[in-house]
Amino acid sequence: MMSVTPKPLEGIRVLDLTRIISGPYCTRLLADCGAEVFKIEPVGGEYMRVKEPMKVGKSTYFGHFNAGKKSVEIDFRSVNDLAAIRKLAATCDVVVENFRPGVVRDLGLDFATLASGRKDLVYCSISGFGQSGPRARHPAYAPILHALSGHDLAAMSYAEDVGKPFRTGIWYADLIGGLFAFSAIQTALIGQLRHGIGQYIDVALMDSMINLLVLEMQEAQTPSAFERWLATPVRAADGHVIAVPITGRIFERLADLTGHPEWKQDTRFNTQLEREKNWPALMALVEKWTSERSAADCEAAMMEAGIPCARYQTVSEAIHDEQVIARALMSDVGEGAGAFKVANLPFLLSGTPLAVGPRVPEPGEHTKDVLDLFRSSAGQDQNP
């Protein structure tokens, strides 16, 4: 039996000055990897604590991003509390913030202040547009960045009979920005450990979104000679499936499975280039076969034949999928009626389980233990 090694970031302390989604997601992943994360919240707790959906009076949305952390409440108007946070920061390896550019400087919690007298601090700022440039101080929620980055018009161009960009409720920009911050911090920590030098990290959600649009970015500069093929859903008897018979061998399997070996000689489909050019015609033929069968039967038959295929699942179905269960992706957070499931990190380490923390801290739960010593030495409280 393999012995369990310590989590990779055990011993790393993180001052978490973040809120909403991008920053808390980044710092939760750091906590999953073993870091001790001090989440600094305003008096009464962060706004997201009352964000639906709620379970037993507590936000599971907030809990998803903040499980496994230590909660410290402060009055951001208090000179004494801010001084205490600066002293706490001096004991931390990493600081993460996602305020609008300029706010942490006004609070005295910026990189220049916290790195004074030390050279090893890793400090990460996450913002909509980055810390410099003409848009730097513009407010930015995820949908704004989806629109400006080109993502939404690219997605619209792939849809059929759509006259305006789609509505969205999935905050890609926040999540991908949090992931890039997570990876940047660990890269900087390797440099800190190897060279003794910290880093100031500037993560922009706009930059993160543009990084997703790889082919679209290249197409914008050098358009393809013909319209590219697009992965296309086809109807099943009770829903939809998607199949990708793009290579020659997979296409031949598809022709045999559907009872149409003559497709192999069809000049529209007998090379990969021709299949790509005539993809809508191929999918129309495939749909005649899939529409007579259930989505589950289509998936099972095609996958058995070695043809990439999937039925469309709801999120509820996906988190209970046999593959998700087999990989133990979901962890329970909380207890009893208040328990809910959260996705673990999307990678496994051979010697170290990296499950999400088992509980969400109460507002200010760790304030006394963490800050009392620093508050007592921070000087007399003043409220500007």
Side-chain angles (χ1 to χ4, degrees), residues 39-118:
K39 180 176 178 64
I40 310 304
E41 302 190 62
V43 175
E46 187 197 336
Y47 155 75
M48 291 287 283
R49 284 188 178 271
V50 297
K51 186 75 172 173
E52 294 281 356
M54 307 286 283
K55 200 166 190 179
V56 195
K58 296 179 181 178
S59 170
T60 59
Y61 196 32
F62 173 88
H64 191 110
F65 295 120
N66 293 285
K69 303 178 185 179
K70 294 181 177 179
S71 173
V72 176
E73 268 184 333
I74 70 162
D75 181 352
F76 278 89
R77 299 168 300 175
S78 166
V79 171
N80 195 52
D81 278 9
L82 291 173
I85 293 300
R86 284 190 284 274
K87 289 182 176 293
L88 174 60
T91 73
C92 293
D93 304 278
V94 178
V95 176
V96 189
E97 64 90 9
N98 66 340
F99 288 98
R100 180 171 51 81
V103 171
V104 287
R105 184 182 62 246
D106 295 341
L107 294 171
L109 297 174
D110 56 310
F111 175 70
T113 300
L114 300 186
S116 178
R118 59 185 296 194

Side-chain angles (χ1 to χ4, degrees), residues 141-178:
Y141 289 96
I144 304 300
L145 302 160
H146 299 170
L148 280 171
S149 67
H151 171 275
D152 285 355
L153 288 184
M156 177 181 153
S157 73
Y158 299 148
E160 295 179 307
D161 303 321
V162 174
K164 66 178 182 179
F166 299 105
R167 297 190 305 169
T168 184
I170 303 174
W171 303 148
Y172 302 104
D174 287 322
L175 296 170
I176 194 67

Side-chain angles (χ1 to χ4, degrees), residues 183 227 265 354:
S183 62
E227 187 174 344
Q265 280 71 51
L354 296 179

Side-chain angles (χ1 to χ4, degrees), residues 84-263:
I85 293 300
R86 284 190 284 274
K87 289 182 176 293
L88 174 60
T91 73
C92 293
D93 304 278
V94 178
V95 176
V96 189
E97 64 90 9
N98 66 340
F99 288 98
R100 180 171 51 81
V103 171
V104 287
R105 184 182 62 246
D106 295 341
L107 294 171
L109 297 174
D110 56 310
F111 175 70
T113 300
L114 300 186
S116 178
R118 59 185 296 194
K119 61 179 183 178
D120 62 344
L121 179 64
V122 172
Y123 189 113
C124 180
S125 291
I126 307 170
S127 62
F129 298 104
Q131 302 298 305
S132 60
R135 293 189 187 271
R137 296 183 66 84
H138 288 189
Y141 289 96
I144 304 300
L145 302 160
H146 299 170
L148 280 171
S149 67
H151 171 275
D152 285 355
L153 288 184
M156 177 181 153
S157 73
Y158 299 148
E160 295 179 307
D161 303 321
V162 174
K164 66 178 182 179
F166 299 105
R167 297 190 305 169
T168 184
I170 303 174
W171 303 148
Y172 302 104
D174 287 322
L175 296 170
I176 194 67
L179 283 170
F180 277 126
F182 172 63
S183 62
I185 288 166
Q186 293 183 87
T187 301
L189 282 173
I190 292 172
Q192 180 206 67
L193 293 171
R194 292 291 296 271
H195 312 301
I197 304 296
Q199 293 279 353
Y200 177 71
I201 302 166
D202 176 1
V203 175
L205 304 189
M206 176 73 161
D207 300 355
S208 300
M209 284 299 299
I210 290 176
N211 264 270
L212 293 181
L213 303 171
V214 178
L215 185 54
E216 293 76 14
M217 189 187 311
Q218 299 310 317
E219 285 278 355
Q221 301 170 77
T222 312
S224 296
F226 59 88
E227 187 174 344
R228 58 178 290 221
W229 74 277
L230 301 175
T232 305
V234 291
R235 285 184 297 108
D238 59 351
H240 290 82
V241 297
I242 191 159
V244 186
I246 190 66
T247 68
R249 182 170 294 182
I250 292 173
F251 170 70
E252 290 176 0
R253 293 170 184 164
L254 174 72
D256 291 337
L257 175 68
T258 57
H260 289 284
E262 72 277 8
W263 290 356

Side-chain angles (χ1 to χ4, degrees), residues 226-227 229 268 272-281:
F226 59 88
E227 187 174 344
W229 74 277
R268 295 175 298 171
Q272 182 164 327
L273 182 60
E274 290 302 321
R275 279 191 296 279
E276 291 183 15
K277 288 181 178 179
N278 295 287
W279 196 258

